[in-house]
Amino acid sequence: TVKTNEEVSKTMSEDSNKGAVMKVSVVGNDYFYNNERISLDDFVSKVKETSGDISVEVKDDGASLRAYNDIINRLKDLHISITEE
């Protein structure tokens, strides 16, 4: 079958993100993504904006139990694959 340019672009962008891993560290009550402090809502927005199959690696770096559970529960609600470190 012949694919339109739109279908080819979509396939290429999906392939480029296949297996992408987003890493976030939880330190105390704070979240860090790409070495910058980020709110939980902003991080969840970034996860939603990322196309393709992604997983999130959550690192407990002296995290408070509440902050850690909050991010795990939000990601589970979105059916995102989680790796806990």
PDB file of all heavy atoms in Angstrom, residues 52-73:
ATOM      1  N   GLY A  52       4.840   7.881  20.969  1.00  0.00           N
ATOM      2  CA  GLY A  52       5.505   6.586  20.890  1.00  0.00           C
ATOM      3  C   GLY A  52       5.478   5.857  22.221  1.00  0.00           C
ATOM      4  O   GLY A  52       4.886   6.314  23.192  1.00  0.00           O
ATOM      5  N   ASP A  53       6.102   4.696  22.224  1.00  0.00           N
ATOM      6  CA  ASP A  53       6.172   3.891  23.435  1.00  0.00           C
ATOM      7  C   ASP A  53       7.244   4.462  24.336  1.00  0.00           C
ATOM      8  O   ASP A  53       8.409   4.484  23.969  1.00  0.00           O
ATOM      9  CB  ASP A  53       6.532   2.432  23.106  1.00  0.00           C
ATOM     10  CG  ASP A  53       5.416   1.719  22.382  1.00  0.00           C
ATOM     11  OD1 ASP A  53       4.249   2.113  22.578  1.00  0.00           O
ATOM     12  OD2 ASP A  53       5.709   0.789  21.616  1.00  0.00           O
ATOM     13  N   ILE A  54       6.843   4.920  25.497  1.00  0.00           N
ATOM     14  CA  ILE A  54       7.831   5.449  26.431  1.00  0.00           C
ATOM     15  C   ILE A  54       7.687   4.750  27.766  1.00  0.00           C
ATOM     16  O   ILE A  54       6.649   4.165  28.071  1.00  0.00           O
ATOM     17  CB  ILE A  54       7.697   6.973  26.642  1.00  0.00           C
ATOM     18  CG1 ILE A  54       6.355   7.302  27.300  1.00  0.00           C
ATOM     19  CG2 ILE A  54       7.899   7.719  25.369  1.00  0.00           C
ATOM     20  CD1 ILE A  54       6.363   8.642  27.979  1.00  0.00           C
ATOM     21  N   SER A  55       8.736   4.816  28.520  1.00  0.00           N
ATOM     22  CA  SER A  55       8.677   4.355  29.901  1.00  0.00           C
ATOM     23  C   SER A  55       9.344   5.436  30.734  1.00  0.00           C
ATOM     24  O   SER A  55      10.102   6.258  30.222  1.00  0.00           O
ATOM     25  CB  SER A  55       9.386   3.010  30.076  1.00  0.00           C
ATOM     26  OG  SER A  55      10.753   3.125  29.804  1.00  0.00           O
ATOM     27  N   VAL A  56       9.015   5.447  32.004  1.00  0.00           N
ATOM     28  CA  VAL A  56       9.584   6.436  32.904  1.00  0.00           C
ATOM     29  C   VAL A  56      10.382   5.706  33.973  1.00  0.00           C
ATOM     30  O   VAL A  56       9.891   4.762  34.595  1.00  0.00           O
ATOM     31  CB  VAL A  56       8.486   7.314  33.548  1.00  0.00           C
ATOM     32  CG1 VAL A  56       9.085   8.258  34.580  1.00  0.00           C
ATOM     33  CG2 VAL A  56       7.726   8.089  32.489  1.00  0.00           C
ATOM     34  N   GLU A  57      11.622   6.126  34.142  1.00  0.00           N
ATOM     35  CA  GLU A  57      12.475   5.580  35.189  1.00  0.00           C
ATOM     36  C   GLU A  57      12.415   6.549  36.370  1.00  0.00           C
ATOM     37  O   GLU A  57      12.795   7.709  36.241  1.00  0.00           O
ATOM     38  CB  GLU A  57      13.903   5.457  34.677  1.00  0.00           C
ATOM     39  CG  GLU A  57      14.852   4.810  35.652  1.00  0.00           C
ATOM     40  CD  GLU A  57      16.234   4.668  35.046  1.00  0.00           C
ATOM     41  OE1 GLU A  57      16.391   3.883  34.094  1.00  0.00           O
ATOM     42  OE2 GLU A  57      17.149   5.368  35.532  1.00  0.00           O
ATOM     43  N   VAL A  58      11.883   6.069  37.480  1.00  0.00           N
ATOM     44  CA  VAL A  58      11.725   6.902  38.665  1.00  0.00           C
ATOM     45  C   VAL A  58      12.817   6.523  39.660  1.00  0.00           C
ATOM     46  O   VAL A  58      12.902   5.381  40.089  1.00  0.00           O
ATOM     47  CB  VAL A  58      10.326   6.729  39.302  1.00  0.00           C
ATOM     48  CG1 VAL A  58      10.187   7.619  40.525  1.00  0.00           C
ATOM     49  CG2 VAL A  58       9.227   7.023  38.292  1.00  0.00           C
ATOM     50  N   LYS A  59      13.644   7.500  40.015  1.00  0.00           N
ATOM     51  CA  LYS A  59      14.745   7.251  40.951  1.00  0.00           C
ATOM     52  C   LYS A  59      14.400   7.862  42.305  1.00  0.00           C
ATOM     53  O   LYS A  59      14.091   9.041  42.409  1.00  0.00           O
ATOM     54  CB  LYS A  59      16.032   7.870  40.422  1.00  0.00           C
ATOM     55  CG  LYS A  59      17.218   7.608  41.326  1.00  0.00           C
ATOM     56  CD  LYS A  59      18.490   8.178  40.751  1.00  0.00           C
ATOM     57  CE  LYS A  59      19.660   7.883  41.659  1.00  0.00           C
ATOM     58  NZ  LYS A  59      20.884   8.521  41.197  1.00  0.00           N
ATOM     59  N   ASP A  60      14.443   7.036  43.321  1.00  0.00           N
ATOM     60  CA  ASP A  60      14.227   7.480  44.697  1.00  0.00           C
ATOM     61  C   ASP A  60      15.561   7.961  45.234  1.00  0.00           C
ATOM     62  O   ASP A  60      16.459   7.187  45.503  1.00  0.00           O
ATOM     63  CB  ASP A  60      13.693   6.315  45.536  1.00  0.00           C
ATOM     64  CG  ASP A  60      13.466   6.679  46.995  1.00  0.00           C
ATOM     65  OD1 ASP A  60      13.952   7.738  47.439  1.00  0.00           O
ATOM     66  OD2 ASP A  60      12.817   5.897  47.699  1.00  0.00           O
ATOM     67  N   ASP A  61      15.693   9.278  45.345  1.00  0.00           N
ATOM     68  CA  ASP A  61      16.941   9.869  45.818  1.00  0.00           C
ATOM     69  C   ASP A  61      16.638  10.621  47.120  1.00  0.00           C
ATOM     70  O   ASP A  61      16.676  11.841  47.184  1.00  0.00           O
ATOM     71  CB  ASP A  61      17.494  10.813  44.739  1.00  0.00           C
ATOM     72  CG  ASP A  61      18.952  11.153  44.951  1.00  0.00           C
ATOM     73  OD1 ASP A  61      19.527  10.699  45.962  1.00  0.00           O
ATOM     74  OD2 ASP A  61      19.515  11.872  44.112  1.00  0.00           O
ATOM     75  N   GLY A  62      16.262   9.848  48.144  1.00  0.00           N
ATOM     76  CA  GLY A  62      15.876  10.453  49.412  1.00  0.00           C
ATOM     77  C   GLY A  62      14.487  11.067  49.331  1.00  0.00           C
ATOM     78  O   GLY A  62      14.205  12.083  49.959  1.00  0.00           O
ATOM     79  N   ALA A  63      13.618  10.435  48.529  1.00  0.00           N
ATOM     80  CA  ALA A  63      12.274  10.962  48.296  1.00  0.00           C
ATOM     81  C   ALA A  63      11.398  10.822  49.530  1.00  0.00           C
ATOM     82  O   ALA A  63      11.544   9.880  50.301  1.00  0.00           O
ATOM     83  CB  ALA A  63      11.619  10.196  47.149  1.00  0.00           C
ATOM     84  N   SER A  64      10.471  11.778  49.672  1.00  0.00           N
ATOM     85  CA  SER A  64       9.448  11.601  50.696  1.00  0.00           C
ATOM     86  C   SER A  64       8.493  10.543  50.152  1.00  0.00           C
ATOM     87  O   SER A  64       8.302  10.418  48.938  1.00  0.00           O
ATOM     88  CB  SER A  64       8.701  12.906  50.980  1.00  0.00           C
ATOM     89  OG  SER A  64       7.788  13.194  49.943  1.00  0.00           O
ATOM     90  N   LEU A  65       7.912   9.780  51.049  1.00  0.00           N
ATOM     91  CA  LEU A  65       7.004   8.717  50.641  1.00  0.00           C
ATOM     92  C   LEU A  65       5.833   9.277  49.837  1.00  0.00           C
ATOM     93  O   LEU A  65       5.440   8.727  48.809  1.00  0.00           O
ATOM     94  CB  LEU A  65       6.492   7.965  51.878  1.00  0.00           C
ATOM     95  CG  LEU A  65       5.633   6.737  51.603  1.00  0.00           C
ATOM     96  CD1 LEU A  65       6.397   5.707  50.788  1.00  0.00           C
ATOM     97  CD2 LEU A  65       5.164   6.117  52.912  1.00  0.00           C
ATOM     98  N   ARG A  66       5.316  10.422  50.269  1.00  0.00           N
ATOM     99  CA  ARG A  66       4.170  11.018  49.577  1.00  0.00           C
ATOM    100  C   ARG A  66       4.522  11.431  48.149  1.00  0.00           C
ATOM    101  O   ARG A  66       3.785  11.143  47.201  1.00  0.00           O
ATOM    102  CB  ARG A  66       3.662  12.219  50.363  1.00  0.00           C
ATOM    103  CG  ARG A  66       2.473  12.862  49.709  1.00  0.00           C
ATOM    104  CD  ARG A  66       1.921  14.000  50.518  1.00  0.00           C
ATOM    105  NE  ARG A  66       0.787  14.580  49.806  1.00  0.00           N
ATOM    106  CZ  ARG A  66       0.211  15.699  50.135  1.00  0.00           C
ATOM    107  NH1 ARG A  66       0.642  16.370  51.179  1.00  0.00           N
ATOM    108  NH2 ARG A  66      -0.792  16.159  49.447  1.00  0.00           N
ATOM    109  N   ALA A  67       5.645  12.130  47.976  1.00  0.00           N
ATOM    110  CA  ALA A  67       6.045  12.592  46.646  1.00  0.00           C
ATOM    111  C   ALA A  67       6.295  11.402  45.726  1.00  0.00           C
ATOM    112  O   ALA A  67       5.899  11.408  44.554  1.00  0.00           O
ATOM    113  CB  ALA A  67       7.294  13.470  46.729  1.00  0.00           C
ATOM    114  N   TYR A  68       6.938  10.377  46.257  1.00  0.00           N
ATOM    115  CA  TYR A  68       7.244   9.192  45.455  1.00  0.00           C
ATOM    116  C   TYR A  68       5.958   8.488  45.041  1.00  0.00           C
ATOM    117  O   TYR A  68       5.764   8.157  43.873  1.00  0.00           O
ATOM    118  CB  TYR A  68       8.153   8.249  46.254  1.00  0.00           C
ATOM    119  CG  TYR A  68       8.720   7.136  45.416  1.00  0.00           C
ATOM    120  CD1 TYR A  68       9.846   7.343  44.630  1.00  0.00           C
ATOM    121  CD2 TYR A  68       8.132   5.874  45.398  1.00  0.00           C
ATOM    122  CE1 TYR A  68      10.373   6.334  43.855  1.00  0.00           C
ATOM    123  CE2 TYR A  68       8.648   4.859  44.619  1.00  0.00           C
ATOM    124  CZ  TYR A  68       9.768   5.092  43.854  1.00  0.00           C
ATOM    125  OH  TYR A  68      10.273   4.094  43.067  1.00  0.00           O
ATOM    126  N   ASN A  69       5.067   8.276  45.996  1.00  0.00           N
ATOM    127  CA  ASN A  69       3.801   7.612  45.682  1.00  0.00           C
ATOM    128  C   ASN A  69       2.960   8.432  44.717  1.00  0.00           C
ATOM    129  O   ASN A  69       2.276   7.875  43.849  1.00  0.00           O
ATOM    130  CB  ASN A  69       3.010   7.311  46.957  1.00  0.00           C
ATOM    131  CG  ASN A  69       3.616   6.160  47.746  1.00  0.00           C
ATOM    132  OD1 ASN A  69       4.365   5.353  47.201  1.00  0.00           O
ATOM    133  ND2 ASN A  69       3.307   6.104  49.016  1.00  0.00           N
ATOM    134  N   ASP A  70       2.997   9.763  44.852  1.00  0.00           N
ATOM    135  CA  ASP A  70       2.225  10.633  43.963  1.00  0.00           C
ATOM    136  C   ASP A  70       2.627  10.423  42.506  1.00  0.00           C
ATOM    137  O   ASP A  70       1.772  10.279  41.634  1.00  0.00           O
ATOM    138  CB  ASP A  70       2.404  12.110  44.332  1.00  0.00           C
ATOM    139  CG  ASP A  70       1.615  12.510  45.565  1.00  0.00           C
ATOM    140  OD1 ASP A  70       0.771  11.709  46.030  1.00  0.00           O
ATOM    141  OD2 ASP A  70       1.847  13.628  46.072  1.00  0.00           O
ATOM    142  N   ILE A  71       3.933  10.400  42.229  1.00  0.00           N
ATOM    143  CA  ILE A  71       4.360  10.256  40.834  1.00  0.00           C
ATOM    144  C   ILE A  71       4.071   8.845  40.321  1.00  0.00           C
ATOM    145  O   ILE A  71       3.619   8.669  39.191  1.00  0.00           O
ATOM    146  CB  ILE A  71       5.842  10.658  40.617  1.00  0.00           C
ATOM    147  CG1 ILE A  71       6.109  10.810  39.120  1.00  0.00           C
ATOM    148  CG2 ILE A  71       6.803   9.675  41.259  1.00  0.00           C
ATOM    149  CD1 ILE A  71       7.410  11.484  38.778  1.00  0.00           C
ATOM    150  N   ILE A  72       4.287   7.839  41.150  1.00  0.00           N
ATOM    151  CA  ILE A  72       4.010   6.464  40.728  1.00  0.00           C
ATOM    152  C   ILE A  72       2.532   6.312  40.387  1.00  0.00           C
ATOM    153  O   ILE A  72       2.172   5.758  39.338  1.00  0.00           O
ATOM    154  CB  ILE A  72       4.426   5.452  41.829  1.00  0.00           C
ATOM    155  CG1 ILE A  72       5.950   5.479  42.046  1.00  0.00           C
ATOM    156  CG2 ILE A  72       3.949   4.045  41.477  1.00  0.00           C
ATOM    157  CD1 ILE A  72       6.792   5.051  40.871  1.00  0.00           C
ATOM    158  N   ASN A  73       1.662   6.834  41.253  1.00  0.00           N
ATOM    159  CA  ASN A  73       0.219   6.709  41.017  1.00  0.00           C
ATOM    160  C   ASN A  73      -0.231   7.475  39.780  1.00  0.00           C
ATOM    161  O   ASN A  73      -1.072   6.989  39.013  1.00  0.00           O
ATOM    162  CB  ASN A  73      -0.572   7.151  42.252  1.00  0.00           C
ATOM    163  CG  ASN A  73      -0.396   6.178  43.396  1.00  0.00           C
ATOM    164  OD1 ASN A  73      -0.164   4.991  43.199  1.00  0.00           O
ATOM    165  ND2 ASN A  73      -0.488   6.679  44.618  1.00  0.00           N
TER     166      ASN A  73
END
